Amino acid sequence: MKPSALSALGQRATEPPISWLMHAALSRPKLISLAAGFTDSVSLPVADARAALNRVLRSPRTGRPALQYGFTAGDTVLRKLTAEHLRKLDFHARTASSFSSSSLVLEPKSGMKNEDEKKYSPERLLVTSGSQQLLYLIAEALCDEGDIVLVEDPTYFVFLGILQSRGLHARAVRLERDGLDLAHLERILTSLKCRGELRRVKFFYLVSYYQNPTGVTTSFEKKRGLLKLLKKFERDAGHPIYLLEDAAYRELCFPGRADLPVSPTIPPSAQAVPGAAERVIYAGTFSKPFATGVRVGYGILPQPLFTAVKHIKGNHDFGTSNLLQHLIARALASGIYGRHVARLQKRYTHKAHVMKLAIEEHFPSSVEWWKPEGGLYFWARLPKTVPTGIKSKVFSTALKNDVLYVPGEICYAEDPARRKPNHEMRISFGNATEKDIQEGIRRLGKVLQEILVQ
């Protein structure tokens, strides 16, 4: 008799680290959490969301459709608005020196617009319950147990939990300040080809803007080089190798101030690479730039993947919350969304500056840290001889001092080709108040000073 009735997936599945981190942040009132990537509570658009919902529900004509079941692929109006929003984001990234939500009124030239209408067609866009659902659906649609997914090293640790639960293997590509190391990727692909394992490679997972956890933004040149390499090895793989671009933090850029480094340009998505439409999966979300509680994400997918993922989603939930889709559609159409994003960018710029000053004051000089240009995180490296993992003295002492960070080790895939680093930490300024940022960094700096001077 089997010891358990659970499936192989059910037996493999473990609690994601994010669940424990979020629980710790919510259950210990004295704890200052610089860990879980919550967004800023103060700036959540309560009044704007109420106004948008009131508009949706003001009459039976608009309210009844919002309160009824919708389409599996998503609300038609929201899909059109989102596709146009993405087209404009890429247009501005191609033509402007910086991004500003107020500049979305500009239009591309007619020839480019005709090409973009095909590339950013609403018919290719699927609305999901947060971008997290899309990541899971992609893995479910493309991968069988034992398949290989290429990832950045380090990467978004919740995605690593998806791979683990589905019995997938990860191969990790080194990360540089402007994105992944293309030469390292080519060596990995060549090695997999020589061992006859290239057929198991299904896609590359890339967090392209203000990466979680490091804050790195991948340059457009590296996106183009990545797609070129994947195409080069497709023939030996015997099937398409997709690029899954996770752009969850794309709109959380810092609008600019003299004491924070800001990229001269925000690169276009990989969708803008010529001929990329049939190999690029674009994953986006309204949760991070608008309100995490709405849990509305989306993706632009090539065929036949779009149809397969839509069918799987139909088996999951019939479709994303229709009321919340109508809320986001109203926010986009009315300008509420654009105005909120502009305010949020300024808010996060300020909070990042507060954390930067605190780190400069309290962290030992032996700690290396990367200054973000957007997103929610700082990435810090201790000397290699000082572990920061969950079982480390640094982590346990930090908890005793009521401050929490994300151990860097959980952001690295299980890859036998290299030893997993264990001397880094992710620090978030997203949800903490300015006062808690300053106090939390002071506490963490005190811990690091005590341990590193021993």
Side-chain angles (χ1 to χ4, degrees):
M1 181 180 294
K2 290 175 61 178
S4 173
L6 293 174
S7 67
L9 187 151
Q11 294 181 60
R12 278 194 305 266
T14 59
E15 182 180 40
I18 188 66
S19 298
W20 183 86
L21 293 169
M22 292 171 72
H23 176 76
L26 295 171
S27 63
R28 296 177 55 168
K30 293 184 179 180
L31 180 73
I32 295 178
S33 177
L34 305 177
F38 286 12
T39 50
D40 184 63
S41 293
V42 174
S43 60
L44 288 171
V46 176
D48 283 344
R50 180 171 60 247
L53 280 174
N54 284 340
R55 293 285 293 178
V56 170
L57 299 175
R58 66 177 179 170
S59 73
R61 183 180 64 83
T62 56
R64 284 172 181 161
L67 295 174
Q68 184 55 273
Y69 282 125
F71 300 107
T72 300
D75 176 69
T76 302
V77 173
L78 179 59
R79 293 170 73 194
K80 290 180 179 177
L81 289 169
T82 303
E84 178 65 6
H85 181 61
L86 294 179
R87 182 187 66 79
K88 289 180 177 179
L89 285 179
D90 274 344
F91 168 69
H92 282 278
R94 290 194 298 255
T95 59
S97 59
S98 62
F99 170 83
S100 162
S101 60
S102 62
S103 65
L104 289 178
V105 296
L106 294 176
E107 290 293 332
K109 297 177 181 179
S110 58
M112 185 182 296
K113 184 174 182 179
N114 291 336
E115 180 183 347
D116 286 353
E117 283 176 353
K118 298 177 182 178
K119 187 178 291 185
Y120 303 100
S121 168
E123 299 303 313
R124 302 178 62 226
L125 193 141
L126 181 74
V127 180
T128 56
S129 299
S131 59
Q132 183 68 25
Q133 184 190 43
L134 180 65
L135 301 184
Y136 191 94
L137 291 172
I138 294 299
E140 192 170 3
L142 286 178
C143 299
D144 296 309
E145 186 175 340
D147 279 347
I148 297 171
V149 175
L150 302 166
V151 300
E152 297 161 292
D153 206 31
T155 190
Y156 175 43
F157 62 83
V158 179
F159 180 74
L160 295 177
I162 294 175
L163 301 186
Q164 185 273 333
S165 69
R166 299 206 60 82
L168 306 178
H169 304 299
R171 290 302 307 272
V173 181
R174 282 196 294 267
L175 199 59
E176 300 174 325
R177 288 309 303 267
D178 63 342
L180 60 129
D181 183 337
L182 292 176
H184 187 219
L185 171 60
E186 186 165 19
R187 290 196 296 272
I188 290 174
L189 290 169
T190 300
S191 174
L192 291 169
K193 175 184 174 181
C194 292
R195 295 204 305 269
E197 296 180 342
L198 202 57
R199 62 184 179 82
R200 304 308 302 259
V201 177
K202 296 301 179 65
F203 64 93
F204 192 114
Y205 174 68
L206 175 73
V207 185
S208 53
Y209 297 91
Y210 320 117
Q211 192 230 28
N212 181 357
T214 66
V216 164
T217 294
T218 300
S219 68
F220 185 67
E221 291 72 22
K222 289 207 167 180
K223 291 177 184 179
R224 184 161 43 201
L226 169 57
L227 282 167
K228 184 177 179 180
L229 274 175
L230 296 181
K231 184 177 180 180
K232 175 182 175 181
F233 285 87
E234 272 193 1
R235 181 182 296 273
D236 293 296
H239 56 73
I241 301 177
Y242 292 99
L243 167 59
L244 171 51
E245 180 176 14
D246 185 345
Y249 301 91
R250 181 176 186 174
E251 295 182 73
L252 301 187
C253 59
F254 298 154
R257 46 185 296 169
D259 44 24
L260 279 173
V262 180
S263 295
T265 61
I266 299 172
S269 73
Q271 289 279 352
V273 176
E278 294 308 310
R279 290 295 179 271
V280 175
I281 307 160
Y282 182 96
T285 183
F286 292 110
S287 300
K288 287 291 192 297
F290 190 67
T292 46
V294 300
R295 306 298 297 130
V296 174
Y298 53 88
I300 291 185
L301 295 82
Q303 287 289 4
L305 184 58
F306 175 89
T307 298
V309 171
K310 184 180 74 169
H311 290 169
I312 295 171
K313 178 175 170 57
N315 288 330
H316 277 228
D317 60 13
F318 305 131
T320 300
S321 166
N322 207 25
L323 176 62
L324 296 179
Q325 289 187 68
H326 280 252
L327 165 63
I328 295 298
R330 172 61 61 175
L332 282 169
S334 65
I336 285 174
Y337 178 81
R339 292 191 294 271
H340 176 71
V341 169
R343 291 193 298 267
L344 200 61
Q345 289 170 350
K346 293 179 181 178
R347 173 71 173 159
Y348 285 140
T349 301
H350 170 68
K351 294 180 77 170
H353 181 61
V354 171
M355 180 168 279
K356 169 183 174 287
L357 293 179
I359 288 175
E360 289 176 337
E361 179 179 357
H362 297 293
F363 275 25
S365 59
S366 58
V367 177
E368 174 192 357
W369 48 279
W370 290 1
K371 301 173 185 177
E373 299 171 356
L376 302 175
Y377 311 109
F378 279 71
W379 181 248
R381 284 192 176 119
L382 277 61
K384 290 185 178 180
T385 56
V386 183
T388 59
I390 293 176
K391 297 181 180 180
S392 71
K393 184 177 181 181
V394 171
F395 189 78
S396 61
T397 307
L399 272 181
K400 289 178 183 177
N401 284 270
D402 283 322
V403 62
L404 184 66
Y405 63 86
V406 169
E409 66 174 356
I410 69 173
C411 303
Y412 286 93
E414 298 291 341
D415 187 340
R418 59 99 177 92
R419 187 174 181 179
K420 183 185 291 190
N422 185 24
H423 63 287
E424 297 158 313
M425 59 177 64
R426 191 196 78 179
I427 313 166
S428 175
F429 53 84
N431 187 49
T433 65
E434 289 92 329
K435 181 179 178 181
D436 280 350
I437 289 171
Q438 293 169 330
E439 176 60 20
I441 292 297
R442 187 196 68 79
R443 294 178 188 177
L444 187 54
K446 180 182 178 182
V447 170
L448 297 177
Q449 293 280 4
E450 291 175 352
I451 292 177
L452 291 177
V453 298
Q454 291 179 355

